[in-house]
Amino acid sequence: MKPFCFADGTIVPTESATLHPMDLGLIRGYGIFDFFRTVDYTPLFLEHYLDRFIASAERTFLPLPYSRAQLSEIISVLIEKNDLKSGGLRMVLSGGVSENHFSPAEGKLFIFAESLSLPSEEKYRQGIKLLTLEYVRPIAEIKTTNYTLPVWHSVNWKKLGAEDVLYHWNGWVSESSRSNFFMVKNGVLHSPDQHILLGITRKHILELVPNAVIRPISLEEVWDADEAFISSTTKVLLPVTQLDDRKIGNGIPGPVTMDILERFRVLEKETVA
């Protein structure tokens, strides 16, 4: 965590930021957040992240007493004060202190600046393993702070050699715990259309690949895929070469996946140029 954050309506030392112990964010796990990267002091795709954060606040009935312009200005000040050339910014809006300890109330906005390390190059070269997990994230289209199941389940990931999970329900796949999911079959890119967060990285991948097919995808299809990968702000695009104990395709990152990764890296450079 970097030295300065936004809390209580101003820029303060991060170590002094506090949350009321009866806030719904703590006692009910109710709140929203968003996270984006800075590249060469520039917040990458900021307007898209602000769109999602503002919409999430509206849909979760949490008052957000700052305009888009004010949020942008706060972010700019935090980047400068924390000398955040390359890192991450995390916006968190808590559920608030509610009279009945249950209904959404006026929450507290925090914006934290963080160091960020992308996955190792080895993971991009060799791919990663996912574990299947039967689960649907609550209110999946909103980026809530409710990550109870994957946090609990993650204790097993390292010992099983896995990077993350692939959620599925009634035979249909959706997303990973912190990433969107894609598969490639016969050179065509496919991505699930249900029970998912509309990721910002996913959005830009789909713009790079306009002939991608967005549709329900069965777990059986994933087993038979030629390639697969996950995408997120903090991972960009990670090839998936194993699902449980079975290889995806020939067990190495595929050409379609690596081409999209390269084109996304070019897009990043063009965006901050």
Side-chain angles (χ1 to χ4, degrees):
M1 202 74 74
K2 296 296 184 179
F4 298 100
C5 76
F6 179 84
D8 296 311
T10 189
I11 305 294
V12 300
T14 301
E15 62 186 14
S16 70
T18 60
L19 182 70
H20 194 287
M22 290 300 289
D23 193 291
L24 293 182
L26 181 62
I27 66 171
R28 303 293 185 189
Y30 193 79
I32 63 169
F33 81 104
D34 226 307
F35 185 91
F36 52 90
R37 289 189 291 131
T38 58
V39 177
D40 197 19
Y41 297 105
T42 300
L44 196 63
F45 310 130
L46 177 60
E47 293 306 315
H48 300 286
Y49 287 98
L50 290 178
D51 284 344
R52 187 169 67 183
F53 188 69
I54 292 167
S56 292
E58 292 175 352
R59 296 190 66 183
T60 51
F61 311 104
L62 295 177
L64 179 60
Y66 299 93
S67 68
R68 173 187 294 269
Q70 288 173 318
L71 291 172
S72 295
E73 177 60 24
I74 294 165
I75 288 163
S76 178
V77 172
L78 283 174
I79 290 173
E80 181 180 356
K81 286 188 70 68
N82 288 293
D83 192 28
L84 198 68
K85 181 177 182 179
S86 296
L89 284 147
R90 185 181 305 271
M91 302 182 290
V92 182
L93 182 60
S94 72
V97 179
S98 172
E99 288 188 5
N100 65 0
H101 310 308
F102 197 78
S103 301
E106 184 174 345
K108 188 170 180 178
L109 176 67
F110 300 90
I111 305 180
F112 299 103
E114 306 175 18
S115 299
L116 177 65
S117 296
L118 293 174
S120 67
E121 280 302 315
E122 179 183 16
K123 291 180 179 179
Y124 291 102
R125 290 195 308 267
Q126 298 183 4
I128 60 165
K129 173 183 176 180
L130 297 182
L131 302 174
T132 54
L133 182 62
E134 194 168 12
Y135 180 65
V136 170
R137 191 166 53 83
I139 330 176
E141 67 275 14
I142 299 174
K143 202 168 178 69
T144 72
T145 56
N146 182 359
Y147 281 71
T148 301
L149 181 75
V151 169
W152 169 75
H153 194 264
S154 68
V155 175
N156 299 311
W157 297 353
K158 189 172 182 179
K159 69 178 76 170
L160 295 173
E163 179 78 16
D164 212 310
V165 293
L166 177 61
Y167 295 148
H168 63 98
W169 189 258
N170 290 332
W172 302 99
V173 301
S174 54
E175 58 186 3
S176 184
S177 74
R178 294 158 293 171
S179 309
N180 288 118
F181 179 77
F182 294 81
M183 57 165 267
V184 178
K185 186 66 179 178
N186 297 327
V188 178
L189 185 66
H190 303 258
S191 190
D193 65 347
Q194 56 185 348
H195 304 308
I196 64 168
L197 180 74
L198 297 178
I200 306 304
T201 303
R202 176 183 184 268
K203 169 185 172 68
H204 286 90
I205 288 173
L206 293 175
E207 290 175 355
L208 290 172
V209 188
N211 65 338
V213 181
I214 312 303
R215 62 176 180 82
I217 296 176
S218 71
L219 186 56
E220 288 298 320
E221 288 180 273
V222 178
W223 293 126
D224 193 43
D226 299 327
E227 306 175 37
F229 63 85
I230 56 175
S231 69
S232 75
T233 300
T234 56
K235 301 176 182 70
V236 185
L237 184 162
L238 269 182
V240 176
T241 51
Q242 186 175 344
L243 186 59
D244 293 332
D245 295 324
R246 298 167 63 172
K247 289 182 180 180
I248 298 294
N250 58 10
I252 62 174
V256 175
T257 297
M258 302 312 290
D259 175 67
I260 296 171
L261 175 59
E262 182 59 32
R263 288 198 282 151
F264 194 94
R265 287 172 168 167
V266 170
L267 174 64
E268 283 188 1
K269 293 177 181 177
E270 293 174 345
T271 302
V272 301

